[in-house]
Amino acid sequence: MMTSRFAFSQSRAPAQRRGALALSVALCTLGLGLSASAQTITTFDAPGAGTGAGQGTLPYAINPAGVIAGEYIDANNVFHAFLRTPDGAFTTFDVSGAGTSPGQGTVVRSMNPAGVVTGWYADASNTAHGYVRALDGTITTFDAPGAGTGGFNGTFAEDINPAGVIAGELSDASGVVHGFVRALDGTITSFDAPNAGTAPGQGTMVFSVDTLNPAGSISGTYQDASNVWHAFLRAADGTINTFDVPGAATGDGQGTFNDGINQAGTIEGLYGDANNVAHGFLRARDGSFITFDVPGAGTGAGATGCLALATCQGTIPENINAPGAVTGQYVDASGVNHGFVRAPDGTITKFDVPGAGTGAGQGTIPFCNNPVDAITGNYIDASGAIHGFLRTP
């Protein structure tokens, strides 16, 4: 997302997309199978969620127990956080100091297996601050050293692993983005991927939900000085390796997006070709690649920048679980979003949430799958309102 983080309701939220303030290895071509498995889809709205276009309920994470964490946008376009238990009960919360104007408020970005939540909030000056919410509801806020204090700068907590380590990014006073890791004792270490750009909006980025695994490895993305996107893997000891998916284009706004890493060290993400069509990839721990496309994904050329906003046609993975199943969305030739889950054996199952709109920019947008393949995400209806869903196999 090239615009501010707080334009979230217009870009990252409906598209459930990665944020930015805004391998020479064997490439495998996968023979795809399709499966039509039994499924149960439950839809829900957080109490207080607005019902206008661009408003509603946005689940982000689901843990092994089936607790869902996310945020909702109210009728005044203010963000609030929520937790939903398997019995459908909601708990909502706001971080003290969160702003109450449109585009401000409290957002959720990740939840660990124990149910500890992290994210960030935008204050009345549009500065972002990180937070972590413990099981008892206690909220601790923090700012990464070097984070800017102006509007649309600050600290963006994005991931939390089982040990309570948090990863994210900070935007400095010049608008340059840097990655950070926050240890359990609160110590924060910032880092930059080699060759990351140093202009406003460029730099080193860590996306939400599943880009920090239990071993402390971070899969992220950086934008270079030419606005090309590249992937990186940062080990717990701070070693950073960078890579590009073979076939990824190298023009302005093109490249490779690293979206997640599981316990086995398998990375999932997407890359854009020369026509800005999105394709999915998996990178094994040994550095080998599998690329894939969901049958029915569109192949029409996209505009510059559509990869960062997930508005390109094609296949857009969003999350990988411990067994290696990948969920995400694909965008068809009409610009409509549909859900998919790719099993570890390569079988792809497609699905649409009942009530999802069928116009461009509408449809079904999965975002996270837990170890037993319960999937949560949102769907956008024909009026542009956003609703949550839970799909169980």
Side-chain angles (χ1 to χ4, degrees):
M1 185 168 63
M2 296 301 117
T3 54
S4 85
R5 285 273 194 166
F6 308 116
F8 172 80
S9 62
Q10 300 301 318
S11 53
R12 184 169 181 169
Q16 290 290 13
R17 194 62 203 130
R18 55 212 43 81
L21 299 173
L23 313 137
S24 60
V25 294
L27 178 64
C28 301
T29 301
L30 181 68
L32 296 174
L34 287 177
S35 171
S37 63
Q39 61 180 350
T40 299
I41 296 178
T42 302
T43 62
F44 58 87
D45 295 290
T51 57
Q55 299 171 352
T57 302
L58 295 115
Y60 256 75
I62 181 168
N63 72 4
V67 178
I68 295 171
E71 69 250 15
Y72 66 93
I73 306 168
D74 69 20
N76 295 315
N77 295 313
V78 179
F79 290 79
H80 311 270
F82 75 83
L83 294 171
R84 179 187 184 272
T85 56
D87 63 1
F90 280 89
T91 299
T92 62
F93 65 92
D94 295 288
V95 178
S96 178
T100 57
S101 295
Q104 298 173 352
T106 303
V107 302
V108 168
R109 283 296 172 268
S110 186
M111 174 175 54
N112 71 9
V116 180
V117 172
T118 195
W120 48 269
Y121 68 98
D123 66 21
S125 299
N126 290 325
T127 301
H129 310 271
Y131 76 86
V132 57
R133 181 185 186 273
L135 287 178
D136 64 2
T138 302
I139 294 175
T140 302
T141 62
F142 60 90
D143 293 293
T149 58
F152 313 127
N153 299 139
T155 300
F156 303 90
E158 297 286 348
D159 291 276
I160 184 167
N161 72 5
V165 176
I166 293 171
E169 60 198 47
L170 66 97
S171 173
D172 66 24
S174 299
V176 182
V177 186
H178 313 268
F180 76 80
V181 179
R182 181 183 185 269
L184 192 58
D185 66 2
T187 303
I188 295 176
T189 302
S190 61
F191 62 89
D192 294 292
N195 300 314
T198 57
Q202 296 176 350
T204 302
M205 299 162 200
V206 177
F207 303 139
S208 60
V209 181
D210 69 330
T211 54
L212 171 66
N213 73 4
S217 296
I218 298 171
S219 65
T221 302
Y222 70 95
Q223 191 176 42
D224 68 20
S226 299
N227 295 320
V228 180
W229 299 93
H230 310 270
F232 73 83
L233 176 61
R234 181 186 187 273
D237 66 2
T239 303
I240 296 177
N241 292 310
T242 64
F243 64 88
D244 297 289
V245 178
T250 58
D252 184 7
Q254 298 175 335
T256 300
F257 288 86
N258 223 353
D259 258 2
I261 183 169
N262 69 2
Q263 288 86 332
T266 302
I267 292 170
E268 55 85 14
L270 68 100
Y271 69 97
D273 64 23
N275 293 317
N276 292 320
V277 177
H279 309 272
F281 78 86
L282 291 168
R283 180 184 184 270
R285 192 168 185 168
D286 65 5
S288 59
F289 285 96
I290 292 172
T291 62
F292 65 95
D293 295 291
V294 177
T299 58
T304 299
C306 68
L307 288 166
L309 297 174
T311 55
C312 295
Q313 293 182 17
T315 299
I316 303 169
E318 296 285 4
N319 195 80
I320 183 168
N321 67 10
V326 175
T327 195
Q329 58 181 299
Y330 69 96
V331 182
D332 67 22
S334 298
V336 182
N337 298 282
H338 309 271
F340 78 87
V341 58
R342 179 190 182 275
D345 67 1
T347 302
I348 291 178
T349 301
K350 305 191 293 185
F351 64 93
D352 293 291
V353 175
T358 57
Q362 300 172 357
T364 300
I365 305 166
F367 201 61
C368 185
N369 55 330
N370 72 7
V372 294
D373 267 339
I375 297 171
T376 195
N378 71 63
Y379 70 97
I380 303 173
D381 68 22
S383 299
I386 311 165
H387 311 271
F389 77 85
L390 169 65
R391 176 189 184 271
T392 54

mmCIF file of all heavy atoms in Angstrom, residues 228-247:
data_model
loop_
_atom_site.group_PDB
_atom_site.id
_atom_site.type_symbol
_atom_site.label_atom_id
_atom_site.label_comp_id
_atom_site.label_asym_id
_atom_site.label_seq_id
_atom_site.Cartn_x
_atom_site.Cartn_y
_atom_site.Cartn_z
ATOM 1 N N VAL A 228 10.981 -1.555 -6.872
ATOM 2 C CA VAL A 228 10.766 -2.978 -7.164
ATOM 3 C C VAL A 228 10.738 -3.724 -5.832
ATOM 4 O O VAL A 228 11.513 -3.431 -4.919
ATOM 5 C CB VAL A 228 11.888 -3.535 -8.068
ATOM 6 C CG1 VAL A 228 11.647 -5.017 -8.376
ATOM 7 C CG2 VAL A 228 11.966 -2.733 -9.362
ATOM 8 N N TRP A 229 9.835 -4.710 -5.739
ATOM 9 C CA TRP A 229 9.654 -5.477 -4.521
ATOM 10 C C TRP A 229 10.481 -6.762 -4.548
ATOM 11 O O TRP A 229 10.550 -7.440 -5.570
ATOM 12 C CB TRP A 229 8.186 -5.839 -4.331
ATOM 13 C CG TRP A 229 7.287 -4.649 -4.205
ATOM 14 C CD1 TRP A 229 6.606 -4.026 -5.221
ATOM 15 C CD2 TRP A 229 6.962 -3.931 -3.018
ATOM 16 N NE1 TRP A 229 5.877 -2.972 -4.735
ATOM 17 C CE2 TRP A 229 6.078 -2.887 -3.387
ATOM 18 C CE3 TRP A 229 7.328 -4.082 -1.682
ATOM 19 C CZ2 TRP A 229 5.560 -1.993 -2.455
ATOM 20 C CZ3 TRP A 229 6.810 -3.185 -0.754
ATOM 21 C CH2 TRP A 229 5.941 -2.164 -1.140
ATOM 22 N N HIS A 230 11.097 -7.082 -3.418
ATOM 23 C CA HIS A 230 11.901 -8.292 -3.271
ATOM 24 C C HIS A 230 11.579 -8.930 -1.923
ATOM 25 O O HIS A 230 11.120 -8.263 -0.992
ATOM 26 C CB HIS A 230 13.395 -7.966 -3.320
ATOM 27 C CG HIS A 230 13.822 -7.114 -4.459
ATOM 28 N ND1 HIS A 230 14.219 -7.624 -5.669
ATOM 29 C CD2 HIS A 230 13.885 -5.757 -4.569
ATOM 30 C CE1 HIS A 230 14.534 -6.630 -6.486
ATOM 31 N NE2 HIS A 230 14.343 -5.493 -5.842
ATOM 32 N N ALA A 231 11.847 -10.220 -1.809
ATOM 33 C CA ALA A 231 11.571 -10.946 -0.577
ATOM 34 C C ALA A 231 12.848 -11.104 0.251
ATOM 35 O O ALA A 231 13.957 -11.123 -0.291
ATOM 36 C CB ALA A 231 10.985 -12.317 -0.894
ATOM 37 N N PHE A 232 12.657 -11.234 1.571
ATOM 38 C CA PHE A 232 13.796 -11.546 2.434
ATOM 39 C C PHE A 232 13.364 -12.535 3.507
ATOM 40 O O PHE A 232 12.180 -12.661 3.855
ATOM 41 C CB PHE A 232 14.387 -10.287 3.068
ATOM 42 C CG PHE A 232 13.563 -9.654 4.157
ATOM 43 C CD1 PHE A 232 13.620 -10.117 5.475
ATOM 44 C CD2 PHE A 232 12.727 -8.580 3.888
ATOM 45 C CE1 PHE A 232 12.862 -9.537 6.478
ATOM 46 C CE2 PHE A 232 11.960 -7.995 4.882
ATOM 47 C CZ PHE A 232 12.035 -8.473 6.184
ATOM 48 N N LEU A 233 14.342 -13.238 4.022
ATOM 49 C CA LEU A 233 14.153 -14.131 5.160
ATOM 50 C C LEU A 233 15.191 -13.759 6.203
ATOM 51 O O LEU A 233 16.397 -13.820 5.940
ATOM 52 C CB LEU A 233 14.314 -15.590 4.741
ATOM 53 C CG LEU A 233 14.242 -16.625 5.861
ATOM 54 C CD1 LEU A 233 12.882 -16.581 6.554
ATOM 55 C CD2 LEU A 233 14.520 -18.021 5.317
ATOM 56 N N ARG A 234 14.724 -13.366 7.385
ATOM 57 C CA ARG A 234 15.632 -12.994 8.475
ATOM 58 C C ARG A 234 15.593 -14.085 9.535
ATOM 59 O O ARG A 234 14.537 -14.387 10.107
ATOM 60 C CB ARG A 234 15.225 -11.659 9.105
ATOM 61 C CG ARG A 234 16.143 -11.199 10.239
ATOM 62 C CD ARG A 234 15.593 -9.955 10.917
ATOM 63 N NE ARG A 234 16.513 -9.393 11.899
ATOM 64 C CZ ARG A 234 16.588 -9.757 13.177
ATOM 65 N NH1 ARG A 234 15.782 -10.716 13.631
ATOM 66 N NH2 ARG A 234 17.447 -9.166 13.994
ATOM 67 N N ALA A 235 16.730 -14.693 9.798
ATOM 68 C CA ALA A 235 16.826 -15.722 10.829
ATOM 69 C C ALA A 235 16.823 -15.075 12.214
ATOM 70 O O ALA A 235 17.044 -13.869 12.358
ATOM 71 C CB ALA A 235 18.093 -16.544 10.627
ATOM 72 N N ALA A 236 16.600 -15.882 13.232
ATOM 73 C CA ALA A 236 16.546 -15.372 14.597
ATOM 74 C C ALA A 236 17.854 -14.719 15.023
ATOM 75 O O ALA A 236 17.861 -13.833 15.888
ATOM 76 C CB ALA A 236 16.181 -16.494 15.555
ATOM 77 N N ASP A 237 18.974 -15.144 14.409
ATOM 78 C CA ASP A 237 20.269 -14.550 14.761
ATOM 79 C C ASP A 237 20.544 -13.252 14.017
ATOM 80 O O ASP A 237 21.607 -12.660 14.160
ATOM 81 C CB ASP A 237 21.404 -15.552 14.529
ATOM 82 C CG ASP A 237 21.601 -15.903 13.054
ATOM 83 O OD1 ASP A 237 20.890 -15.354 12.180
ATOM 84 O OD2 ASP A 237 22.470 -16.749 12.766
ATOM 85 N N GLY A 238 19.583 -12.803 13.201
ATOM 86 C CA GLY A 238 19.718 -11.538 12.483
ATOM 87 C C GLY A 238 20.240 -11.655 11.070
ATOM 88 O O GLY A 238 20.259 -10.660 10.328
ATOM 89 N N THR A 239 20.638 -12.849 10.660
ATOM 90 C CA THR A 239 21.112 -13.052 9.288
ATOM 91 C C THR A 239 19.953 -12.861 8.308
ATOM 92 O O THR A 239 18.866 -13.417 8.510
ATOM 93 C CB THR A 239 21.691 -14.457 9.113
ATOM 94 O OG1 THR A 239 22.745 -14.647 10.067
ATOM 95 C CG2 THR A 239 22.236 -14.652 7.706
ATOM 96 N N ILE A 240 20.188 -12.085 7.241
ATOM 97 C CA ILE A 240 19.142 -11.809 6.260
ATOM 98 C C ILE A 240 19.565 -12.319 4.891
ATOM 99 O O ILE A 240 20.654 -11.982 4.401
ATOM 100 C CB ILE A 240 18.827 -10.303 6.181
ATOM 101 C CG1 ILE A 240 18.260 -9.807 7.515
ATOM 102 C CG2 ILE A 240 17.837 -10.015 5.044
ATOM 103 C CD1 ILE A 240 17.982 -8.317 7.564
ATOM 104 N N ASN A 241 18.725 -13.149 4.292
ATOM 105 C CA ASN A 241 18.902 -13.593 2.915
ATOM 106 C C ASN A 241 17.760 -13.049 2.073
ATOM 107 O O ASN A 241 16.604 -13.031 2.510
ATOM 108 C CB ASN A 241 18.912 -15.121 2.836
ATOM 109 C CG ASN A 241 20.142 -15.718 3.490
ATOM 110 O OD1 ASN A 241 21.253 -15.304 3.212
ATOM 111 N ND2 ASN A 241 19.943 -16.686 4.376
ATOM 112 N N THR A 242 18.084 -12.608 0.869
ATOM 113 C CA THR A 242 17.064 -12.053 -0.018
ATOM 114 C C THR A 242 16.853 -12.981 -1.210
ATOM 115 O O THR A 242 17.736 -13.764 -1.567
ATOM 116 C CB THR A 242 17.465 -10.656 -0.520
ATOM 117 O OG1 THR A 242 18.658 -10.755 -1.319
ATOM 118 C CG2 THR A 242 17.715 -9.717 0.653
ATOM 119 N N PHE A 243 15.666 -12.892 -1.819
ATOM 120 C CA PHE A 243 15.400 -13.709 -2.997
ATOM 121 C C PHE A 243 14.276 -13.115 -3.825
ATOM 122 O O PHE A 243 13.487 -12.288 -3.357
ATOM 123 C CB PHE A 243 15.070 -15.154 -2.614
ATOM 124 C CG PHE A 243 13.809 -15.328 -1.806
ATOM 125 C CD1 PHE A 243 12.578 -15.502 -2.430
ATOM 126 C CD2 PHE A 243 13.848 -15.352 -0.410
ATOM 127 C CE1 PHE A 243 11.418 -15.676 -1.687
ATOM 128 C CE2 PHE A 243 12.702 -15.536 0.333
ATOM 129 C CZ PHE A 243 11.474 -15.693 -0.304
ATOM 130 N N ASP A 244 14.236 -13.528 -5.084
ATOM 131 C CA ASP A 244 13.170 -13.184 -6.018
ATOM 132 C C ASP A 244 12.664 -14.464 -6.651
ATOM 133 O O ASP A 244 13.455 -15.370 -6.961
ATOM 134 C CB ASP A 244 13.680 -12.241 -7.118
ATOM 135 C CG ASP A 244 14.161 -10.912 -6.566
ATOM 136 O OD1 ASP A 244 13.316 -10.119 -6.142
ATOM 137 O OD2 ASP A 244 15.386 -10.678 -6.546
ATOM 138 N N VAL A 245 11.368 -14.552 -6.841
ATOM 139 C CA VAL A 245 10.810 -15.721 -7.514
ATOM 140 C C VAL A 245 11.160 -15.655 -8.993
ATOM 141 O O VAL A 245 10.975 -14.609 -9.622
ATOM 142 C CB VAL A 245 9.277 -15.775 -7.336
ATOM 143 C CG1 VAL A 245 8.695 -16.964 -8.085
ATOM 144 C CG2 VAL A 245 8.926 -15.862 -5.866
ATOM 145 N N PRO A 246 11.685 -16.737 -9.575
ATOM 146 C CA PRO A 246 11.920 -16.727 -11.022
ATOM 147 C C PRO A 246 10.623 -16.405 -11.760
ATOM 148 O O PRO A 246 9.563 -16.960 -11.466
ATOM 149 C CB PRO A 246 12.373 -18.169 -11.301
ATOM 150 C CG PRO A 246 12.974 -18.624 -10.011
ATOM 151 C CD PRO A 246 12.122 -17.999 -8.942
ATOM 152 N N GLY A 247 10.696 -15.480 -12.684
ATOM 153 C CA GLY A 247 9.508 -15.055 -13.422
ATOM 154 C C GLY A 247 8.917 -13.766 -12.906
ATOM 155 O O GLY A 247 8.051 -13.174 -13.560
#
